[in-house]
Amino acid sequence: MNAWIDGIGFLAPGLPDWPTARAVLRGEQALVAAPSLLPAPAILPPAERRRASRVVKLTLAIGLEAAAHAAADVATLTTVFAASGADGHNCHALCEQLATDDRQISPTRFHNSVHNAAAGYWGIATHAMAPCQVICAYDASFGAGLLDALGQLLVDGQPVLLIAYDSEYPAPLHAKRDTPDCGGVALLLSPQQSERSLSRITVSPTDEPAEHLADAALESLRTSIPALRSLPMLQALARGEGGRVCLDYLAPMQLAVEVQPC
């Protein structure tokens, strides 16, 4: 399956946006350890802005960055949201509440607990009426989202915005799911090349092992935040290099990505 990447959004610990991540992936600067910096979702109405969780802030930030990069109208974009879990902090708060004698759950907590909450906030913020898919495949969620986005692209012939993201869980859940912080990537995929296109990608199944990153700090991000299994491909895009990279998926099946810079 083929697509052109017209825009990229990115946010991770120490990497607040795609330009910073691109410089680090190119080796032009070192990754400086820092918590993920989540911008306020100014695009949301005031009431929703007050209720916005960490994953909502994350997905809006990276999705809007990718769309702006490609000069795309967010209200018209088909979207695919992919995450290994939902809102870890909200899940923690619900568990705390249910462990008390007062088991009445806040409506805001409840509606933020579902896996498609980020997609719902995206629709409110952007007024998008295009189709939206929400996918979870545990640590393979980026690959599952990429395949779904490419499938829609092939069938419908319209651009698709893939937003892959993950968030951390506080203790004690953190002991069972030790994602260190929130992070994610957004890719605006197009069925045809334009003046905005950065690269053409071709994705196919393989049983080859996934690529590891030479930089230890970046490799730690790749393995600890499922959405960042995308980093080997993003490194090739950042460096403007053609070639083949393999990404983690559902072992023994992996995803081979051929990258051809525009």
Side-chain angles (χ1 to χ4, degrees):
M1 293 189 286
N2 304 312
W4 278 263
I5 296 177
D6 287 356
I8 304 174
F10 191 88
L11 196 156
L15 302 168
D17 50 31
W18 173 240
T20 305
R22 183 175 56 200
V24 171
L25 290 168
R26 286 176 173 174
E28 296 170 351
Q29 64 186 62
L31 174 60
V32 178
S36 292
L37 181 62
L38 300 173
I43 192 174
L44 281 172
E48 284 74 19
R49 195 182 311 150
R50 289 192 297 272
R51 301 182 185 119
S53 65
R54 285 173 62 77
V55 295
V56 169
K57 294 175 182 177
L58 170 64
T59 53
L60 284 172
I62 60 178
L64 292 172
E65 184 184 15
H69 192 182
D73 179 1
V74 289
T76 66
L77 292 175
T78 295
T79 49
V80 175
F81 286 75
S84 67
D87 181 346
H89 286 267
N90 196 64
C91 179
H92 171 81
L94 288 174
C95 290
E96 280 193 322
Q97 184 67 34
L98 292 171
T100 69
D101 293 334
D102 179 8
R103 303 182 66 173
Q104 297 185 69
I105 298 299
S106 154
T108 298
R109 286 287 186 199
F110 177 76
H111 85 241
N112 277 334
S113 70
V114 294
H115 190 257
N116 64 350
Y121 276 90
W122 175 268
I124 292 170
T126 64
H127 307 287
M129 300 294 288
C132 174
Q133 299 286 348
V134 182
I135 288 178
C136 177
Y138 198 56
D139 285 346
S141 292
F142 173 78
L146 180 61
L147 291 177
D148 188 271
L150 290 171
Q152 292 193 61
L153 199 76
L154 180 66
V155 171
D156 299 329
Q158 298 294 325
V160 178
L161 178 62
L162 169 62
I163 301 176
Y165 62 98
D166 289 288
S167 179
E168 75 282 7
Y169 287 85
L173 293 172
H174 185 78
K176 296 297 183 181
R177 186 61 169 161
D178 60 353
T179 303
D181 204 339
C182 62
V185 58
L187 302 174
L188 184 53
L189 304 171
S190 177
Q192 56 195 11
Q193 186 175 359
S194 73
E195 68 277 3
R196 301 277 182 178
S197 297
L198 304 171
S199 181
R200 183 176 186 261
I201 60 169
T202 302
V203 180
S204 57
T206 182
D207 59 2
E208 299 172 35
E211 302 278 343
H212 291 198
L213 299 173
D215 184 288
L218 288 172
E219 176 64 9
S220 177
L221 288 181
R222 187 190 74 84
T223 56
S224 62
I225 300 178
L228 302 190
R229 300 295 197 275
S230 56
L231 276 173
M233 181 182 72
L234 295 177
Q235 186 169 65
L237 293 170
R239 293 177 173 178
E241 296 176 346
R244 173 187 172 97
V245 297
C246 291
L247 306 182
D248 275 315
Y249 188 48
L250 294 168
M253 178 181 168
Q254 311 282 47
L255 297 180
V257 183
E258 294 282 351
V259 179
Q260 298 174 309
C262 294

